Amino acid sequence: MEQYICNSCGKKHDITPTIWICTCGGVLNVVKDIPKIDVASWNHYPNSLWRYLETMPFQKESKTWEQVTMGEGQTPLIVPDPLESNTYVKVDYMMPTLSFKDRGAAVLITKAKEIGISKVIADSSGNAGTAIAAYAARCNIACDIYLSDETSPKKIAQVKAHGANIKQIHGTREDIAAAAQHAVKEEEVFYASHVYNPYFYEGTKTYAYEIYEELNGAPDTLIIPVGNGTLLLGAYYGFKELFANGLIEKMPKIIAIQAANCAPLVDAFNNGELSAEPVKNKGTLAEGIAIAAPARSPQILEAVRNTNGEFIDIEEDEILSARAKLSEKGFYVEVTSAVNYAGYLKYKKEPEEKIIVPLCGAGIKSK
Ligand SMILES: *Cc1c(COP(=O)(O)O)cnc(C)c1O
Ligand SMILES: [Zn+2]
């Protein structure tokens, strides 16, 4: 039986259908050892993120994923500008629901199916809700998604198409999470949260494994947008596992990007703090990373510090110009995702520095 361990107090908990937070309020991680990576096993699986199944906390014989997968993962790594041949974009909008959230959702919902869950609740600024709704639909799991009434209409339409019940809340992103958590408690159901459920990060860690295979090693630098840090932490854990297995010689440096109008982690990082104080969201075009109080802030700050990384914040006028520049090169991303490229343009790179920029969500998702 797999267990969770609290990130704050270290208490262990059996994994039950309703547990999602420690009694002390701390976030939970899966109890596990660093996996022993058997590279030869990867070719036993179809071309998807399930190549790395044996590094995830599932029974090796587990076949549940076969009924869940929609081919997510193995996204292309492309040089967008031949004049900058060491800069790559990883095109994670080429996913079943058009964002990287499918990495986490596919793995999380596979776990939920394994433990016999019939209903899930999640809250989201859009893309995580879409991904959870799609994979839940695929597994005949009922699904309620809590969203802001200001979420992009196209993301709401996507969630609706998968048959999820949409609960539109008027309030901040934190109000929406609180409403979902209240319902989880009242209804005693599974909280399919991309922030709290640690299986989500077992999915996002495959971002690192794929880059390792595509480059035949590690890059120097990862540019990563951060709201709740689900891609950042997944990438960090993935490269840590590769490093611990001796497959790469150094950890890539993580350059974390936030919108200046909602940047709790930038402040905390620059002030040398171990966790982030909630800020007031002043409003940003980057709806997908407008998180004023990220629940895993200590882990995010630690990851960036451990890799000798840094934070960069992006002004509103830099977002749309970065989106236009990417479009001119052929890549059409949603507005939130342009922040990543804006961060890259602002970052002072070394000659020859090998850098990866994720393209997290497809252009047709936003205005
Ligand atoms: C979710 C998302 C992000 C940020 O991910 P976090 O887990 O909140 O850090 C960035 N870009 C897009 C397009 C997203 O959907
Ligand atoms: Zn605890």
Side-chain angles (χ1 to χ4, degrees), residues 99-101 127-128 194 225-232 288-289 291 334 336-337 340 360-361:
S99 88
F100 82 81
K101 298 296 195 313
N127 288 339
H194 59 299
V226 193
N228 279 306
T230 67
L231 182 61
L232 185 143
I289 55 169
I291 305 296
E334 66 169 282
T336 297
S337 235
N340 316 356
C360 296

Side-chain angles (χ1 to χ4, degrees), residues 102-118:
D102 292 351
R103 294 187 185 278
V107 173
L108 190 164
I109 293 293
T110 296
K111 192 70 203 177
K113 187 175 167 69
E114 262 191 2
I115 60 176
I117 299 300
S118 58

